[in-house]
Amino acid sequence: MILENISSNKVCEGWHKQYTHNSKVLNCEMRFAIFLPPQASANNPVPVLYWLSGLTCSDENFMQKAGAQKMAAKLGVAIVAPDTSPRGEDVADDINKAYDLGLGAGFYINATQAPWNKHYQMYDYIVHELPALIETNFPVTTQRAISGHSMGGHGALTIGLRNPELYQSISAFSPICNPINCPWGEKAFSAYLGTDSEDWKIYDSCELLAKTTSHQPILIDQGSNDSFLQTQLKPENLMAIANKKNSLLTLNMREGYDHSYYFISSFIDSHLEFHAAHLGLTQQS
């Protein structure tokens, strides 16, 4: 698969680069960003943290606003930030151009319903196609961690829980924890997956955590002043299941913080350190 490098910036002694490629899974051109820390070389490949962004975002939001590069460079972790949905003139979008369906709102699932199923196969892209591309073309190992924000936090939780053999650790900021029981999830899932809510459960972290037999470490940070907390995110539902199962889930409620990248940038270092410990780069505290 041919990669085209469209930008390159040195940062924290490493490199932030953007690439485009033609995705066979999504049937369109896709863009992703990668931060390669200074330790990364052919003789010293590094593990990868996959970051999944939220509604309306692209690869640029996290890389430009989170301030993650300094800690990632210190720890020796690469970061890969894909787009949040397929893009292009022939890619289906919401007829009303709503922000929570269609372009920028892929929800990291494999759509089964027309017209979405032609392009919206984000689950397979994130789990299979993109990592294969990264591991073939960059000095990285097969060790993976996954994180994300809001819709991307939902993606990180569900992808991580469904693939414990692929991801050493999972984290999220302000994730949509129970999408089958919130307006964002109900709208997107009914469009992408059909009206049978039983088909939605494989993309719901509450349902997945209740059934999993693995014990992956999970870290969640949630702001108390998040305007979406009660109606859309519902972390208490996930925490109740985690407590029943004695899961390795830590939920930090952060007083006064909202849903923005101000919040993410305040605590991203602790998430990187969490992943580095479980990737074997540092001692666990």
Side-chain angles (χ1 to χ4, degrees):
M1 189 177 296
I2 298 174
L3 290 178
E4 181 181 356
N5 181 208
I6 60 172
S7 76
S8 184
N9 303 93
K10 191 169 185 178
V11 54
C12 298
E13 300 303 318
W15 288 92
H16 166 271
K17 299 183 178 186
Q18 285 179 306
Y19 291 87
T20 59
H21 70 101
N22 288 316
S23 168
K24 293 181 180 179
V25 169
L26 302 177
N27 296 304
C28 65
E29 183 177 84
M30 289 295 286
R31 188 178 74 193
F32 68 86
I34 184 168
F35 171 71
L36 290 168
Q39 299 90 333
S41 69
N43 295 324
N44 185 49
V46 297
V48 181
L49 173 65
Y50 288 86
W51 172 270
L52 308 182
S53 290
L55 290 164
T56 76
C57 292
S58 69
D59 64 288
E60 295 183 329
N61 298 73
F62 178 80
M63 290 299 198
Q64 294 181 7
K65 296 179 179 180
Q69 291 91 343
K70 187 173 183 179
M71 182 58 73
K74 178 181 177 181
L75 296 169
V77 178
I79 302 174
V80 171
D83 204 345
T84 51
S85 79
R87 307 273 183 176
E89 292 184 2
D90 63 336
V91 174
D93 193 11
D94 179 63
I95 190 171
N96 297 312
K97 304 298 181 182
Y99 76 96
D100 54 358
L101 185 68
L103 299 183
F107 272 84
Y108 305 102
I109 67 176
N110 286 341
T112 60
Q113 305 299 302
W116 311 104
N117 56 347
K118 181 180 178 182
H119 297 285
Y120 286 74
Q121 305 294 312
M122 286 297 293
Y123 177 88
D124 279 351
Y125 178 70
I126 299 299
V127 176
H128 302 297
E129 187 177 38
L130 182 60
L133 188 66
I134 298 299
E135 290 163 14
T136 298
N137 290 280
F138 299 98
V140 301
T141 70
T142 58
Q143 283 185 293
R144 306 179 198 171
I146 193 164
S147 186
H149 171 232
S150 194
M151 177 187 72
H154 141 75
L157 289 169
T158 55
I159 287 172
L161 286 167
R162 286 181 62 177
N163 300 277
E165 74 285 359
L166 297 180
Y167 302 94
Q168 273 68 51
S169 50
I170 305 166
S171 77
F173 288 85
S174 313
I176 305 171
C177 292
N178 195 193
I180 66 174
N181 288 313
C182 78
W184 277 340
E186 290 168 1
K187 177 179 180 179
F189 286 10
S190 60
Y192 296 146
L193 302 172
T195 57
D196 187 349
S197 59
E198 287 297 311
D199 295 335
W200 305 355
K201 291 182 178 180
I202 61 171
Y203 298 111
D204 186 286
S205 57
C206 286
E207 296 287 333
L208 294 169
L209 187 64
K211 295 177 180 177
T212 188
T213 57
S214 67
H215 290 279
Q216 288 162 288
I218 303 172
L219 173 63
I220 296 175
D221 272 68
Q222 173 63 58
S224 66
N225 281 18
D226 192 322
S227 60
F228 302 114
L229 177 57
Q230 300 301 323
T231 57
Q232 303 283 10
L233 307 180
K234 303 180 184 293
E236 68 279 4
N237 293 1
L238 188 64
M239 199 67 219
I241 295 168
N243 287 336
K244 287 182 180 178
K245 297 199 66 174
N246 293 316
S247 299
L248 300 176
L249 191 157
T250 299
L251 171 62
N252 296 319
M253 293 299 300
R254 303 295 189 177
E255 186 66 30
Y257 286 91
D258 59 18
H259 199 72
S260 71
Y261 267 85
Y262 294 110
F263 170 46
I264 296 170
S265 66
S266 298
F267 298 102
I268 189 61
D269 284 1
S270 64
H271 281 239
L272 288 165
E273 290 171 330
F274 164 80
H275 290 297
H278 292 289
L279 290 165
L281 297 174
T282 62
Q283 293 289 327
Q284 295 187 38
S285 59

